[in-house]
Amino acid sequence: MAQARLTQFARQLRGTSGSHTSNYEVSEQPLGTTHHLRVVCIGAGASGLNLIHTLRRHLTDYELQVYEKNPQVGGTWFENRYPGCKCDIPSHNYQFSWKRNPEWTSFFSPAEEIQAYLCRLCDEEEMYPVIKLEHQVVRACWDEQAGIWNLKVRNLKTDQEFDDHCHFLLDSCGILNNWKWPNIRGLQSFSGELVHSANWPKNFDYTGKTVAVIGNGSSGVQIMPPVQKGAKNVLHFIQEPTWIVPPRVETLAQGRASDMMSQIEMNEREEFTPRQIEKFKSNPDIYLKFIKAIEAEVNGNFPLTATEMVRRYMMAKLGNDSRLCSALIPKFELGCRRLTPAVGYLECLQAENVRVMTDPILEIVPEGIRTSSGEFIQLDAIICATGFNVSFCPRFPIIGRDGNLQDRWTKELPKSYMSCAVPGMPNYFVFLGPNAPIGHGSVFTIAEHIAKYVASIIKKCQKEGIKAISPTQSAVDELAEHTQRFMPRTAWAGSCKSWFKDGEVEGPVTALHPGSRIHFFHMLENFRGEDWEYTYLGGGRNRFRYLGNGFSTKEMDQDDSTSYLDEPDKLC
């Protein structure tokens, strides 16, 4: 009834609109009318799956297609399946706030359990229909006139390519999934088994073999304990020392969460008892209190001031062995590299079948490794725990107004707007781009905040007749200036080789946000319209055309047109 009456009024107003002084025409749609959009997301890892949920909750009048290169969802947790692979964030905080799982089996979840969680929620939330598995976007090109991204997509099962398009291109490829071999002469000449930690063969068996493990980053320190137990001999090659922090359960039990931790039942392997899991399931209030107590500790990781305590811990675990302490305990700042709670790592280095090798590798030959000191070591297998390409350079051409983003981020320091948008790349948003808080705790929570921020921008464009939106170059330059001026205050800018600095010692910090997690969340609370440039639908002649015919969808879509009286102090 209300809508019919308003439509009649609109017709009357249209018929008495008076004389025109220009050829501008008022839109005959009410304020709040959306225009239909097609959205494409690249990647169905944690960020991509959360995006599906967020868009469903906050957008209408849109269609979504997700392309995932792997044969299953999960991203990094599908790809990383090496022995000992675990998350270093507590399980109950490494989950979506909208899909809590009280049945995690361990305080820190193994990779296969996280992957099972992601597959299960994808099934339960009926996400698979909008996801095309084994499909890879290989090219994206912006069409300024049409206001769309033209895409080239490859079906990896058939190797055939086809075209697609979208109004908004959302990139959730992730930063830690483009693994790389180490740059060692003769690597591919090795005649034994050559394995990368991020591409672990299901049938690889190291039992009874002489194995080299190259690398002591977050993967290497997890791989070493199980390999040491099964292999005949293990040669562990390290380039740099790394900080190994005490088990997180111990530190949490001594911190602000001590009262809550004292009530949690776990065995010696940090697995929750069946009774504890049942308590989490049956008492949501207790469960949420536990989650929030641990989350507060995670948020409090910035800054860190416990260098001497960690040094003493490492010395004790290494049995005060002077050679091992010299090789493994860093002189650079605590937190300069990613901190790793590697349970059993330091202990396994003292085993009789382990040699810690600090001599650089000169070359790899078919039978093994030759070091710079001239020693030759015959090997059955080489495990490369040597990380990923973390340059932020896209893996395929993304051609915007100013050319290919690959070229720009190869030649210049990668810069973004609040980690998720790029000048000259209209309607393009990236999850965990340059200077995101990737080292600040659970990426699940971070992805939720970024997705809501992006969804609010898309919604604004839908309702205000905006065809294209991108951050201004000046805004991004000034944010980058602040970031790089701030970073010397942190340990991240210390004198160590770190993926936070694209594998460099002295390079600028490109991977981390200049502040705490809460600082990042606070930053995203409000959209700063002054930092963006816009083009508009309808030729872009009048930015206020979206005001329409003088009526609002709020008075057409609901019976109560006085809802503003219910909460008089609520800010818009």
Side-chain angles (χ1 to χ4, degrees):
M1 183 68 180
Q3 184 168 349
R5 186 169 64 252
L6 290 171
T7 300
Q8 182 180 6
F9 287 161
R11 288 172 180 165
Q12 293 173 353
L13 287 172
R14 186 165 67 246
T16 59
S17 56
S19 61
H20 296 284
T21 58
S22 73
N23 59 0
Y24 169 72
E25 294 289 341
V26 172
S27 168
E28 298 304 336
Q29 300 290 334
L31 172 64
T33 299
T34 58
H35 65 270
H36 184 76
L37 293 175
R38 178 171 174 81
V39 179
V40 166
C41 173
I42 308 172
S47 294
L49 298 182
N50 175 73
L51 179 71
I52 297 172
H53 169 83
T54 303
L55 297 187
R56 286 176 175 177
R57 290 295 300 263
H58 298 285
L59 294 188
T60 59
D61 197 16
Y62 76 101
E63 56 185 294
L64 172 65
Q65 181 64 67
V66 180
Y67 291 113
E68 167 57 52
K69 64 179 173 62
N70 289 323
Q72 185 52 279
V73 302
T76 189
W77 298 109
F78 170 81
E79 295 176 355
N80 286 275
R81 48 187 178 269
Y82 58 81
C85 184
K86 275 191 170 187
C87 183
D88 57 4
I89 301 295
S91 303
H92 294 282
N93 302 85
Y94 199 79
Q95 61 181 354
F96 294 123
S97 62
W98 49 269
K99 196 70 173 180
R100 293 182 179 131
N101 174 31
E103 298 186 61
W104 294 110
T105 60
S106 304
F107 196 83
F108 294 100
S109 293
E112 59 268 20
E113 192 170 356
I114 300 172
Q115 171 66 5
Y117 164 78
L118 292 171
C119 291
R120 185 171 62 252
L121 77 84
C122 192
D123 188 48
E124 292 174 353
E125 300 293 323
E126 299 181 347
M127 294 180 174
Y128 281 111
V130 300
I131 302 171
K132 286 188 183 295
L133 299 172
E134 295 184 90
H135 282 71
Q136 188 172 32
V137 176
V138 296
R139 181 182 174 85
C141 187
W142 174 251
D143 183 329
E144 185 71 39
Q145 184 173 358
I148 60 173
W149 285 96
N150 289 312
L151 310 176
K152 186 73 71 176
V153 184
R154 179 177 297 134
N155 183 329
L156 298 179
K157 289 180 287 188
T158 66
D159 204 36
Q160 294 180 325
E161 294 186 354
F162 60 91
D163 295 328
D164 196 358
H165 75 279
C166 61
H167 298 93
F168 282 84
L169 181 61
L170 310 183
D171 187 344
S172 65
C173 290
I175 186 174
L176 298 179
N177 74 352
N178 187 12
W179 59 270
K180 64 178 181 179
W181 293 111
N183 185 21
I184 301 174
R185 187 173 68 195
L187 177 67
Q188 297 301 327
S189 72
F190 182 61
S191 60
E193 295 177 279
L194 181 63
V195 173
H196 194 284
S197 58
N199 191 34
W200 195 272
K202 292 182 179 180
N203 59 352
F204 175 53
D205 184 8
Y206 48 80
T207 305
K209 297 177 180 177
T210 298
V211 180
V213 177
I214 303 174
N216 62 333
S218 57
S219 298
V221 299
Q222 289 186 332
I223 288 172
M224 274 297 297
V227 171
Q228 178 270 317
K229 291 176 182 177
K232 179 182 178 181
N233 292 297
V234 184
L235 291 301
H236 186 32
F237 288 86
I238 63 175
Q239 284 188 321
E240 279 197 332
T242 189
W243 289 109
I244 303 296
V245 297
R248 194 65 184 277
V249 170
E250 293 181 13
T251 57
L252 286 169
Q254 299 169 11
R256 291 174 296 175
S258 58
D259 289 344
M260 177 56 69
M261 288 295 294
S262 67
Q263 303 171 41
I264 303 302
E265 299 177 13
M266 289 182 285
N267 62 24
E268 66 280 0
R269 295 185 300 276
E270 299 181 349
E271 296 169 339
F272 297 109
T273 65
R275 186 168 67 172
Q276 183 61 60
I277 292 173
E278 188 55 39
K279 284 182 182 178
F280 285 150
K281 291 169 61 178
S282 61
N283 195 325
D285 292 338
I286 292 280
Y287 182 47
L288 181 59
K289 185 178 179 182
F290 169 69
I291 292 173
K292 289 173 72 71
I294 305 303
E295 184 82 358
E297 284 291 302
V298 172
N299 289 340
N301 285 346
F302 176 89
L304 295 158
T305 56
T307 303
E308 190 54 38
M309 181 270 289
V310 177
R311 189 189 312 277
R312 289 197 301 268
Y313 166 80
M314 290 186 66
M315 291 177 65
K317 288 296 182 180
L318 291 170
N320 289 303
D321 183 300
S322 58
R323 177 179 174 272
L324 290 178
C325 288
S326 176
L328 289 158
I329 299 178
K331 293 181 174 57
F332 55 75
E333 298 87 337
L334 181 69
C336 182
R337 294 176 68 180
R338 181 175 179 175
L339 294 177
T340 308
V343 177
Y345 172 68
L346 297 177
E347 295 88 336
C348 86
L349 300 183
Q350 302 168 71
E352 292 184 358
N353 66 335
V354 173
R355 283 182 65 192
V356 175
M357 308 293 294
T358 57
D359 290 339
I361 297 173
L362 179 65
E363 65 176 344
I364 294 176
V365 297
E367 296 79 17
I369 287 176
R370 183 172 285 110
T371 70
S372 60
S373 65
E375 181 180 4
F376 172 73
I377 303 164
Q378 190 166 352
L379 297 167
D380 300 309
I382 298 175
I383 299 171
C384 299
T386 48
F388 303 85
N389 182 334
V390 290
S391 66
F392 290 104
C393 181
R395 296 168 70 175
F396 60 93
I398 304 177
I399 303 169
R401 288 173 176 156
D402 303 322
N404 189 350
L405 187 58
Q406 288 179 312
D407 297 335
R408 191 194 311 181
W409 279 359
T410 298
K411 298 173 183 176
E412 304 171 5
L413 181 72
K415 295 186 290 187
S416 67
Y417 181 83
M418 298 190 180
S419 83
C420 64
V422 184
M425 296 287 159
N427 297 6
Y428 170 77
F429 294 91
V430 58
F431 287 82
L432 305 178
N435 295 109
I438 188 68
H440 296 54
S442 172
V443 297
F444 282 67
T445 317
I446 295 165
E448 289 185 43
H449 281 76
I450 296 172
K452 287 185 284 189
Y453 180 75
V454 172
S456 69
I457 293 174
I458 296 176
K459 189 173 184 178
K460 173 184 176 70
C461 293
Q462 266 195 310
K463 292 189 172 184
E464 296 183 16
I466 298 170
K467 182 167 77 170
I469 183 171
S470 61
T472 64
Q473 187 66 55
S474 60
V476 172
D477 288 344
E478 290 177 21
L479 178 58
E481 179 185 32
H482 168 80
T483 298
Q484 296 311 322
R485 185 61 64 90
F486 174 87
M487 283 302 178
R489 301 183 178 198
T490 71
W492 304 324
S495 55
C496 71
K497 185 182 290 186
S498 166
W499 71 264
F500 298 159
K501 297 174 284 186
D502 193 18
E504 300 295 329
V505 175
E506 301 299 335
V509 178
T510 57
L512 298 176
H513 172 72
S516 67
R517 267 163 61 86
I518 303 303
H519 182 271
F520 181 78
F521 298 160
H522 190 173
M523 181 182 74
L524 293 184
E525 284 180 3
N526 297 302
F527 174 74
R528 287 176 50 88
E530 62 269 36
D531 295 341
W532 298 77
E533 54 188 9
Y534 314 85
T535 59
Y536 293 89
L537 296 170
R541 290 190 58 258
N542 192 314
R543 73 191 67 189
F544 293 108
R545 191 170 187 272
Y546 76 96
L547 293 178
N549 63 6
F551 294 101
S552 167
T553 55
K554 291 185 176 182
E555 55 190 324
M556 305 179 82
D557 297 340
Q558 58 187 28
D559 293 332
D560 184 6
S561 62
T562 61
S563 58
Y564 51 86
L565 297 176
D566 298 332
E567 299 178 273
D569 293 325
K570 181 180 178 180
L571 290 175
C572 295

